[in-house]
Amino acid sequence: MDGRDLVRSMKLVGSAGAAQGLRSVRTAWRRRRADAVGLPARGAERARVPGVVRDVAPGPGGGTIRFSRSELLIRVAVNGAVFWGWDGAAAEPSYALAGRCPDADPRAVLEPDKDGGWRLVAERVTVVVSRHGAIEVRTPGGVVLRRDLPPRWWEPADGGPGRWMQRSEVAADARFFGLGGRASGPRLRAGTYRLWNTDPGRAFDRDDDPLYLTMPVQLVVADAATHLAFHDTSWDGSVRLREGREGAGSGHDRVGMSELWMDGGPLRCWVMAGTPARVLLAWASLTGAPATPPAWALGHHHAGSFGSEREVRRVVAGYQEHDLPLDVVHVDVGPSDGRQVFAVDQERFAKLSVLAEELRRDGVRLVSQVEPTVRAAPGDAVHDSGVVEDVFVRDASGRPVEGTARAGESVFPDFTHARVRAWWGGLYAEGIAQGLSGFWHGMNEPTSFTAFGESTLPRSARHALEGRGGDHREAHNVYGLCMAQAAYEGLRKVLPDERPFVFSRSGWAGLQRYGGTWSGEVTTGWPGLRASLSLVLGLGLCGVPCSGPDVGGFDGGSSPELYLRWMQLGAYLPLFRTHAGRRAGRREPWEFGPGVLEHVRVALVERRRLLPYFVTLAHLARRTGAPSVRPLWWGAPEDRGLRDCEDAFLLGDGLLVAPVLDPGAERRAVQLPRGLWYDTATGTAYRGPGQVFVAAPLGRIPVLARAGAVVPVRGEDGGVELEVWAPDRGRTGGGLVVRDAGDGWEEPEVERYVARWDGDRGVVVEREGADGVREPSYPVRVRGLGGPGQM
């Protein structure tokens, strides 16, 4: 074991956690010993670069360029994305891709360029490959967006796969985003970011990296265009970023730099460029449309360490007594010995199905946690079934790998095998039969319960990897993704007429196909509040639109002000889950006093009122890949003031939300995009672009509506209404409405509305369709008329 494991483990020895500390020492030692035996020793290596170009073999949408020591496959897909792979690396197989790789664009042709290089001209980009293997991605006008220098490999002298490094240059004005869930984001400053899904082993804040969900996806925003670069390898690695700097006067620009260091895997990359909306649409077409959650999952969730059915009823009754909206309760119903994956603790939840039915009659669903562990206990039905079906991860000698989890000594399903995913997915039927409506996956990095964030599985553990075979160095980052796939596909078979609700703490590129994620164990404090927003924004730019934090934080007590500000932020995020438990203390809204309770009620009621808008945004995300929560620069990436703003966001096209992220604030600065914006609380109109100061009393956070926005909301009778904000004089506005027909698979219609001024009639709202213009389908309420003057 290494020194870090030893120091962390010994901190517990001799304390109340002595037993856990000793188990951690044993787990780390066992993992280290397995790797010493099962992994090849790193010996002498030789470095290699591509060399000089020799010849070219044209092909559909591109071709193969051969160098003296390497070869490059490059082509343009019909969705506008550019793929290249070195040394025989093809686009498939890939855990990121949704199905088959897109067809090649027959219009793209590889042609000679100057100085012995080659050029590939496509509709949206031009790709130039130099005679030494550098790759430039340019706009159609010739502006360089990204320049990948010739890669470098370090290969074992006696043969076998090697590690590699890719250095890239971007424009001096460019800003980096993405790389999965990063607490320090959403804009990624200079530094090193590891690509290895990790449980920190404690509550994290903005200084902790990496976290549970990493992915090699960079979204780069520059004046010329936005582009996304995805290096499709799941191995352990790191990204070193350095922002560029523009020269003053006659000074030279310093380009931005990205260095990707990978311990193995293919060197292959996808790049797509254009506006942010076009880039995320291409990304979704490549990696899969985001799964649309059932409508009830877009409401208010409450999670807690419930000790019994009685405690669940007490909390739900508290929400009802105080007239607070509640849609979902998250429980952990499993027995403490964890003998079966979906077994119910009969002492705490003797009549779970009865409880679930009672709550559902009151409009409340039950969701439970699932971990990727099966207790290594012969005689247990799930364990014995797994042994018969041969589903567990094995070590280099062929024995099932055992690790310490909450269930004790456990074994782990190999989700990288389709047969194992089908077996695991079938187990969810037991939870559904007990009345559960959805599931959240924890500890699936996978993380040992006692190993302080280290992976339970040794790097030498063997995985199927869809029949290719390999070890945990390649499988680790996609383990949670494959578990989510197993759950999603299993639930579709159990409940074929309902959309599954699955969200996973860990995952990889493509997780959105199966559900969403949550922040994990974010620390209770103002830094944790900021980290919550960073994670949601960053994940949305990586194609995962459905996410949210544990509102209030994970550990320790929260001050009334912090709890309230977190609640006000959470009400505008896709996954809205408050958290209470033994470590966090009682966190129900009424525990903070009547003053806070009234303000919390306002936030919860507003979330309920906006549910039709959240439903619309979820359906649009599936169709377009656009996240519900967007950075302020989404519609104007060339606006550098917006590009550097990290403390506010757009909710769809219609609303701008500026949460309060610092204690004691009663007003805050808000950076506005171009156009007219209305304070939804006061009606005050502000003109952007520019910065304004908006009141932020304890009872609310600034929320501004774009002039002309058409926002579907829930009316007093429970039906849908259109809240229309008066457009700027001489301009039109509009919005889309998707009314969910239920929690099934019926494809709802997208309705398009236009708001405009019409002489004496004032603001007119009309529905546009293939059959012409007609009256709106819903009641209309126009706001922003005759209110306070503009500022």
Side-chain angles (χ1 to χ4, degrees):
M1 64 182 299
D2 59 28
R4 179 176 59 181
D5 286 326
L6 180 61
V7 170
R8 290 179 173 177
S9 301
M10 293 307 295
K11 286 181 179 179
L12 289 179
V13 178
S15 67
Q20 179 174 318
L22 291 174
R23 286 197 299 270
S24 181
V25 171
R26 182 178 62 184
T27 298
W29 176 262
R30 186 166 51 192
R31 189 175 60 248
R32 184 82 172 189
R33 183 177 58 185
D35 287 345
V37 174
L39 290 179
R42 176 172 289 180
E45 297 176 323
R46 56 171 176 262
R48 176 171 63 90
V49 294
V52 180
V53 67
R54 286 188 171 177
D55 57 72
V56 172
T64 300
I65 305 175
R66 300 186 183 93
F67 297 82
S68 59
R69 291 183 291 274
S70 187
E71 69 176 31
L72 173 70
L73 169 65
I74 185 167
R75 71 172 196 166
V76 178
V78 290
N79 66 349
V82 180
F83 171 81
W84 62 78
W86 288 94
D87 291 342
E92 298 179 54
S94 168
Y95 280 105
L97 268 59
R100 298 300 305 272
C101 176
D103 293 336
D105 185 348
R107 298 170 299 174
V109 178
L110 198 61
E111 56 188 35
D113 192 46
K114 61 182 180 180
D115 299 327
W118 290 83
R119 175 188 300 263
L120 185 61
V121 180
E123 179 182 3
R124 300 176 187 172
V125 293
T126 297
V127 185
V128 177
V129 182
S130 77
R131 63 192 299 265
H132 292 288
I135 304 174
E136 285 188 356
V137 179
R138 302 175 182 175
T139 68
V143 179
V144 177
L145 297 178
R146 187 180 192 91
R147 184 172 190 266
D148 279 12
L149 303 179
R152 181 173 299 178
W153 294 266
W154 288 267
E155 299 167 331
D158 55 356
R163 54 193 179 95
W164 51 267
M165 185 271 287
Q166 175 69 71
R167 180 179 289 118
S168 307
E169 298 175 347
V170 297
D173 67 278
R175 297 290 181 264
F176 294 100
F177 300 84
L179 298 183
R182 303 287 168 171
S184 61
R187 174 182 159 193
L188 302 176
R189 266 72 172 185
T192 300
Y193 301 86
R194 192 179 177 194
L195 297 168
W196 186 256
N197 293 347
T198 303
D199 175 8
R202 53 177 172 76
F204 69 87
D205 61 25
R206 286 174 63 83
D207 295 329
D208 288 296
D209 190 89
L211 296 176
Y212 316 96
L213 203 166
T214 68
M215 58 179 83
V217 178
Q218 292 182 25
L219 189 77
V220 184
V221 183
D223 289 349
T226 297
H227 76 271
L228 183 148
F230 168 53
H231 288 85
D232 190 357
T233 176
S234 60
W235 283 63
D236 191 1
S238 63
V239 180
R240 300 174 187 174
L241 298 179
R242 187 197 72 191
E243 289 185 345
R245 186 174 60 214
E246 293 178 295
S250 61
H252 295 288
D253 287 353
R254 186 186 73 177
V255 297
M257 294 288 295
S258 169
E259 288 185 356
L260 177 62
W261 297 75
M262 300 301 297
D263 285 350
L267 203 175
R268 55 186 180 179
C269 182
W270 287 92
V271 172
M272 48 217 75
T275 64
R278 174 166 284 187
V279 166
L280 267 294
L281 176 62
W283 178 241
S285 73
L286 186 70
T287 61
T292 305
W296 55 263
L298 294 170
H300 173 222
H301 302 233
H302 182 85
S305 299
F306 296 104
S308 65
E309 294 176 0
R310 180 180 179 183
E311 189 173 355
V312 174
R313 287 189 173 93
R314 178 191 67 81
V315 170
V316 174
Y319 274 93
Q320 294 170 341
E321 176 186 349
H322 295 93
D323 194 25
L324 300 174
L326 178 65
D327 300 281
V328 189
V329 172
H330 292 232
V331 294
D332 187 358
V333 300
S336 58
D337 62 11
R339 285 180 296 168
Q340 292 189 24
V341 177
F342 293 100
V344 176
D345 189 329
Q346 294 299 320
E347 293 185 5
R348 297 187 298 131
F349 296 92
K351 298 180 179 179
L352 179 64
S353 60
V354 175
L355 173 66
E357 181 59 29
E358 289 178 4
L359 295 183
R360 188 172 292 205
R361 285 198 297 267
D362 291 332
V364 178
R365 304 285 187 131
L366 277 183
V367 170
S368 185
Q369 183 178 19
V370 178
E371 296 177 2
T373 57
V374 175
R375 191 181 183 195
D380 173 75
V382 176
H383 174 269
D384 291 352
S385 171
V387 171
V388 172
E389 297 291 336
D390 187 22
V391 302
F392 300 122
V393 176
R394 296 180 177 272
D395 62 18
S397 64
R399 295 188 299 268
V401 175
E402 294 188 4
T404 305
R406 289 202 302 175
E409 289 297 300
S410 301
V411 286
F412 302 83
D414 182 7
F415 298 118
T416 68
H417 197 303
R419 175 175 53 80
V420 178
R421 291 194 294 271
W423 172 82
W424 181 266
L427 299 178
Y428 287 77
E430 182 178 350
I432 294 297
Q434 292 286 347
L436 299 175
S437 296
F439 303 90
W440 94 87
H441 294 168
M443 309 293 286
N444 61 334
E445 288 71 31
T447 298
S448 167
F449 191 64
T450 60
F452 301 94
E454 292 298 310
S455 174
T456 298
L457 299 175
R459 291 174 177 248
S460 57
R462 297 306 195 248
H463 291 266
L465 291 168
E466 316 309 324
R468 294 179 288 112
D471 58 42
H472 195 64
R473 293 176 296 175
E474 182 177 359
H476 175 86
N477 281 336
V478 298
Y479 190 84
L481 171 72
C482 294
M483 182 184 180
Q485 179 183 359
Y488 184 83
E489 294 174 348
L491 289 171
R492 288 206 61 174
K493 292 180 180 179
V494 176
L495 297 171
D497 298 327
E498 297 183 20
R499 300 195 298 269
F501 177 62
V502 177
F503 66 110
S504 174
R505 193 171 78 171
S506 181
W508 202 62
L511 176 66
Q512 74 278 357
R513 299 192 296 264
Y514 313 115
T517 184
W518 89 105
S519 66
E521 300 178 2
V522 61
T523 190
T524 300
W526 295 95
L529 175 59
R530 283 187 175 269
S532 298
L533 177 56
S534 296
L535 286 164
V536 174
L537 280 166
L539 287 165
L541 295 176
C542 292
V544 184
C546 187
S547 67
D550 274 338
V551 170
F554 179 79
D555 62 330
S558 173
S559 71
E561 181 189 9
L562 173 62
Y563 177 82
L564 177 57
R565 293 307 195 187
W566 217 319
M567 182 73 76
Q568 291 166 341
L569 167 63
Y572 293 96
L573 300 180
L575 179 64
F576 180 24
R577 184 174 94 154
T578 50
H579 180 265
R582 287 186 292 272
R583 289 178 62 181
R586 293 265 54 92
R587 285 253 193 84
E588 286 74 40
W590 51 89
E591 302 288 346
F592 292 91
V596 170
L597 177 62
E598 287 305 309
H599 296 323
V600 167
R601 180 179 291 108
V602 171
L604 291 175
V605 169
E606 179 65 5
R607 173 56 173 241
R608 176 64 59 87
R609 193 180 75 91
L610 287 174
L611 274 180
Y613 190 44
F614 277 96
V615 168
T616 293
L617 293 176
H619 280 282
L620 294 178
R622 185 187 65 78
R623 293 169 181 249
T624 68
S628 304
V629 171
R630 308 166 184 175
L632 294 188
W633 48 258
W634 178 261
E638 70 283 355
D639 187 330
R640 299 188 181 186
L642 299 178
R643 202 185 297 168
D644 294 337
C645 180
E646 302 178 276
D647 61 357
F649 60 91
L650 298 174
L651 183 60
D653 286 330
L655 299 179
L656 187 159
V657 182
V660 174
L661 305 176
D662 298 300
E666 296 183 353
R667 64 197 300 258
R668 60 150 293 175
V670 179
Q671 193 76 24
L672 294 180
R674 183 177 302 278
L676 188 66
W677 296 84
Y678 296 98
D679 185 328
T680 58
T682 66
T684 303
Y686 300 93
R687 177 77 59 183
Q691 186 182 84
V692 298
F693 286 88
V694 182
L698 193 60
R700 60 180 171 85
I701 58 175
V703 178
L704 296 96
R706 189 191 302 272
V710 177
V711 180
V713 299
R714 190 172 185 262
E716 293 183 1
D717 62 353
V720 175
E721 294 181 356
L722 300 183
E723 186 172 78
V724 179
W725 292 87
D728 206 355
R729 292 284 182 175
R731 296 182 178 273
T732 60
L736 303 176
V737 178
V738 182
R739 187 169 187 177
D740 200 342
D743 294 333
W745 298 97
E746 182 179 347
E747 188 70 25
E749 181 183 1
V750 178
E751 302 175 7
R752 182 181 300 275
Y753 290 90
V754 173
R756 60 184 176 84
W757 287 97
D758 185 12
D760 296 336
R761 297 173 62 193
V763 175
V764 175
V765 181
E766 297 170 325
R767 179 180 173 184
E768 291 186 337
D771 54 352
V773 176
R774 50 181 165 158
E775 291 295 315
S777 305
Y778 316 103
V780 174
R781 182 163 61 101
V782 179
R783 299 186 62 184
L785 295 174
Q790 298 183 13
M791 299 181 63

